[in-house]
Amino acid sequence: MTVTGIITAIIIGAIIGLLGRLFAPGKQNISIVVTIIVGIIAALLGTAIWNAIQNSGADTPGIDWIELIIQIVLAVIGVSIAARVLGNRRRV
């Protein structure tokens, strides 16, 4: 992966993570860094799942909406889990 690919993954992951946080129910007491990490993981997993479902490996022209929806759903799940695990910790 090139530097441009890494920067793109971080940017897309941040957007996916923020969308996941927006659609997750309740208040999430997690940092923006955790949100971005969850978004990056959701973006990568969503792409892998869509490529497995699609099974052709061919790129579609334009935005692949189904892949994006899968990524956002995974981000909502990930943000909810992270908020439950990390959000209840008290700082001393």
Side-chain angles (χ1 to χ4, degrees):
M1 185 175 262
T2 64
V3 174
T4 306
I6 293 170
I7 293 171
T8 303
I10 292 170
I11 293 170
I12 297 299
I15 293 169
I16 295 292
L18 290 173
L19 286 172
R21 193 169 181 165
L22 176 70
F23 292 121
K27 185 176 191 302
Q28 300 86 29
N29 292 326
I30 56 175
S31 70
I32 192 71
V33 174
V34 173
T35 303
I36 292 171
I37 291 170
V38 168
I40 291 169
I41 293 169
L44 293 174
L45 282 175
T47 300
I49 289 170
W50 178 242
N51 285 339
I53 292 171
Q54 189 179 12
N55 201 16
S56 67
D59 287 334
T60 57
I63 297 173
D64 199 346
W65 293 104
I66 297 172
E67 180 180 0
L68 183 63
I69 291 170
I70 292 170
Q71 291 171 340
I72 293 172
V73 168
L74 288 172
V76 168
I77 294 168
V79 165
S80 297
I81 291 171
R84 231 172 232 232
V85 172
L86 301 173
N88 294 331
R89 293 185 181 179
R90 288 187 167 184
R91 295 183 181 168
V92 179

